[in-house]
């Protein structure tokens, strides 16, 4: 949209800020007040010497009068208007508003950004309160200790002829449980008072591994060259605090190393750039499709992409996030993801376009495959693992909308979804 059509609004705003009368400015630059009035109401275009003269009288650079408001500001204003679809907002006058009242426009945009930031915090904290094992264990410890104290106190108060030895024992138990309650309560308070730092703190072995991989950018040069020892790397990492996390990381790094050996980085990058077809690349390197998807996500200078892996129960065991595609921190993802469709169709590749909700919906191409993790056996049920590569599409590219999906039901704003498991905390937000 041409920005010059708002030049008049900016001239008028600048003139009023400087306290210059319209008639005085018109006389100074050699035009009639009526013509200047048409210019200021964007009914006449302006340029050349007249623009330079007006800018000089207003103490402004000509470009500051002709250039439009920043695209980011206009986008934020349109997003803010989209929050309340029931209200009639004059979207066609967004640029006019930003040009005439840049301060108010900036305030609206800043408040819109703050609201979105707080919504994300609420989503994260709600998800954490629901799934955080540390918080659950702490509350369980507090409640158990309170119950024990109450039970002992009830016996002491309700029994009049209690033996002195038993009385001393119950009193000792009350004292010990009271001390334990104090420690548990203080630990819980310290945990909750940690503030925003807690949100980024790993609270499970799987999250420790995720933080370790994220810190490395999901690319491990030592394993690419074949020189690294997965177990030694896991033991030496400062990001892996628990033995369970180190064991999980060692297994994950061992698979990474095997993928790198079967598909050396430069050769694989060239093969992927040539075809971008996982089937062709898998045939060239004699590997399975899931290995190809994992390898794409591990390329240092490869495409921007995300990766998720789940087991047969649907629980996510690996998360590599990508901007715009909501991957829950805990539990399972959206039942409509191609990842879960693949679980129902083992060994059948699935390619699907999906669309994430938002003020500006984002589209992605997802490649998914489900494969058995061990050789078939008559004595044991099959163990499956599904892998999904997430490739962002150009937001400016035209195309049909994809399958509407979300992150997790708890924080998905889509109404009327047939796959919803629980109400969203964002339902009806405005």
């Amino acid at each position: 949209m041409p920005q010059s059509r708002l030049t008049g609004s900016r001239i008028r705003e600048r003139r009023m800020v400087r306290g210059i009368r319209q008639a005085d400015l018109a006389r100074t630059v050699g035009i009639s007040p009526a013509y200047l009035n048409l210019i200021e109401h964007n009914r006449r275009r302006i340029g050349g010497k007249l623009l330079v003269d007006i800018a000089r009288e207003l103490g402004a650079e000509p470009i500051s009068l002709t250039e439009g408001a920043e695209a980011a500001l206009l986008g934020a204003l349109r997003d803010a208007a989209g929050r309340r679809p029931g209200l009639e907002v004059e979207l066609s006058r967004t640029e006019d508003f930003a040009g005439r009242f840049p301060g108010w426009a900036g305030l609206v945009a800043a408040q819109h950004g703050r609201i979105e930031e707080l919504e994300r915090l609420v989503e994260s904290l709600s998800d954490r309160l629901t799934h955080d094992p540390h918080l659950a264990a702490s509350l369980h410890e507090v409640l158990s200790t309170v119950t024990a104290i109450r039970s002992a106190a009830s016996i002491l108060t309700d029994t009049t002829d209690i033996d002195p030895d038993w009385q001393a024992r119950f009193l000792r138990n009350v004292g010990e449980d009271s001390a334990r309650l104090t420690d548990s309560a203080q630990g819980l308070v310290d945990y909750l008072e940690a503030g925003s730092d807690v949100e980024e703190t790993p609270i499970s072995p799987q999250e420790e591994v995720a933080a370790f991989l994220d810190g490395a950018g999901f690319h491990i040069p030592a394993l690419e060259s074949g020189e690294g020892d997965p177990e030694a790397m896991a033991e030496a990492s400062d990001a892996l605090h628990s033995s369970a996390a180190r064991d999980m990381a060692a297994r994950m790094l061992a698979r990474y190393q095997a993928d790198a050996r079967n598909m050396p980085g430069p050769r694989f990058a060239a093969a992927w750039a040539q075809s971008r077809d996982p089937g062709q690349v898998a045939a060239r390197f004699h590997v399975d499709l899931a290995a190809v998807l994992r390898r794409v996500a591990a390329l240092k200078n490869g495409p921007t992409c995300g990766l998720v892996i789940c087991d047969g129960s649907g629980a996510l065991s690996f998360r590599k996030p990508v901007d715009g595609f909501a991957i829950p921190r805990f539990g399972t993802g959206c039942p409509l993801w191609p990842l879960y469709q693949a679980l129902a169709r083992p060994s059948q590749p699935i390619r699907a376009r999906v669309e994430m909700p938002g003020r500006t919906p984002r589209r992605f191409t997802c490649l998914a495959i489900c494969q058995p993790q061990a050789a078939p056996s008559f004595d044991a049920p099959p163990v499956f693992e599904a892998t999904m590569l997430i490739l962002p599409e150009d937001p400016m590219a035209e195309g049909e909308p994809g399958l509407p999906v979300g992150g997790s039901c708890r924080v998905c704003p889509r109404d009327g979804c047939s796959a919803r498991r629980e109400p969203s905390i964002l339902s009806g937000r405005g």
Side-chain angles (χ1 to χ4, degrees):
M1 182 177 295
Q3 302 289 353
S4 58
R5 72 181 184 86
L6 293 178
T7 301
S9 298
R10 300 184 188 96
I11 291 175
R12 181 172 181 272
E13 176 69 17
R14 184 77 178 184
R15 177 180 62 77
M16 295 178 68
V17 170
R18 294 287 298 263
I20 301 175
R21 296 175 60 244
Q22 190 179 70
D24 293 340
L25 178 60
R27 183 177 61 255
T28 303
V29 298
I31 60 175
S32 68
Y35 189 70
L36 179 58
N37 184 65
L38 292 174
I39 291 175
E40 289 188 349
H41 285 83
N42 301 306
R43 296 177 182 173
R44 292 292 186 275
R45 292 188 178 275
I46 180 176
K49 182 177 182 299
L50 179 57
L51 175 64
V52 174
D53 291 344
I54 290 178
R56 183 186 65 249
E57 296 300 323
L58 296 177
E61 293 293 331
I63 191 172
S64 68
L65 300 177
T66 57
E67 68 181 8
E70 294 292 338
L73 175 60
L74 295 176
L77 291 175
R78 294 190 180 101
D79 285 349
R83 296 185 62 84
R84 298 298 296 271
L87 296 180
E88 295 183 1
V89 181
E90 300 87 347
L91 288 176
S92 61
R93 303 191 64 183
T94 303
E95 291 186 64
D96 192 16
F97 173 66
R100 295 183 61 183
F101 307 104
W104 279 106
L107 176 62
V108 171
Q111 289 181 333
H112 168 65
R114 180 58 176 164
I115 290 172
E116 287 202 323
E117 179 184 340
L118 292 175
E119 284 180 347
R120 288 193 295 269
L121 180 59
V122 169
E123 294 173 15
S124 176
L125 292 178
S126 175
D127 200 28
R128 190 177 185 88
L129 287 171
T130 304
H131 299 95
D132 189 336
H134 182 89
L135 181 59
S138 297
L139 290 174
H140 178 75
E141 175 70 13
V142 169
L143 293 175
S144 298
T145 308
V146 168
T147 301
I149 294 175
R150 181 177 180 180
S151 177
S154 176
I155 294 174
L156 290 173
T157 56
D158 295 343
T159 306
T160 58
D161 57 347
I162 189 171
D163 183 90
D165 291 338
W166 280 100
Q167 186 179 46
R169 180 179 299 180
F170 281 122
L171 289 173
R172 184 171 62 253
N173 289 343
V174 170
E176 293 174 353
D177 288 338
S178 298
R180 186 158 60 98
L181 177 60
T182 301
D183 293 339
S184 300
Q186 185 60 51
L188 181 59
V189 170
D190 292 342
Y191 176 73
L192 295 175
E193 286 186 343
S196 59
D197 293 340
V198 170
E199 188 177 345
E200 303 299 327
T201 303
I203 59 175
S204 68
Q206 187 182 87
E207 287 214 315
E208 291 183 46
V209 176
F212 165 69
L213 293 174
D214 185 65
F218 295 89
H219 179 81
I220 316 294
L223 298 180
E224 294 284 340
S225 63
E227 300 174 355
D229 181 344
E231 292 189 5
M233 293 177 64
E235 289 293 332
S237 173
D238 294 333
L240 303 171
H241 306 291
S242 64
S243 58
R246 289 190 290 271
D247 289 341
M248 292 175 61
R251 292 195 301 271
M252 198 166 292
L253 293 175
R255 181 154 74 169
Y256 183 109
Q257 187 177 57
D259 290 343
R261 286 173 177 170
N262 293 328
M263 295 168 281
R267 288 177 53 204
F268 178 83
W272 177 257
Q274 181 180 0
S275 70
R276 293 188 176 274
D277 184 332
Q280 294 184 10
V281 177
R284 177 178 299 186
F285 289 96
H286 307 289
V287 296
D288 58 61
L289 287 173
V292 173
L293 303 185
R294 294 193 302 266
R295 197 73 180 113
V296 173
L299 286 176
K300 183 177 182 179
N301 298 314
T304 300
C305 63
L307 186 76
V308 288
I309 300 175
C310 75
D311 60 20
S313 70
L316 301 180
S317 58
F318 183 93
R319 300 167 175 84
K320 180 192 177 187
V322 62
D323 186 40
F325 194 99
I327 301 176
R329 184 176 179 185
F330 306 96
T332 61
C334 173
L336 299 178
W337 285 0
L339 177 76
Y340 298 117
Q341 298 175 32
L343 279 177
R345 297 150 63 181
S347 301
Q348 182 176 345
I350 295 177
R351 181 194 299 267
R353 169 185 281 181
V354 302
E355 185 173 282
M356 276 285 172
R359 306 295 186 274
T360 303
R362 296 285 302 275
R363 290 196 298 267
F364 300 83
T365 295
C366 293
L367 308 175
I369 184 69
C370 173
Q371 298 176 166
Q373 291 304 289
S377 171
F378 289 105
D379 301 322
V383 178
F384 289 102
E385 180 182 76
T387 304
M388 183 173 75
L389 183 69
I390 308 164
L391 298 170
E393 294 188 0
D394 184 353
M396 301 303 294
E398 297 293 336
E400 294 295 326
L403 171 69
V405 301
S408 66
C409 290
R410 188 171 182 81
V411 294
C412 179
R414 295 193 186 279
D415 295 325
C417 177
S418 60
R420 180 171 293 283
R421 294 186 296 264
E422 60 179 321
S424 172
I425 63 172
L426 304 181
S427 58
R429 71 180 180 180

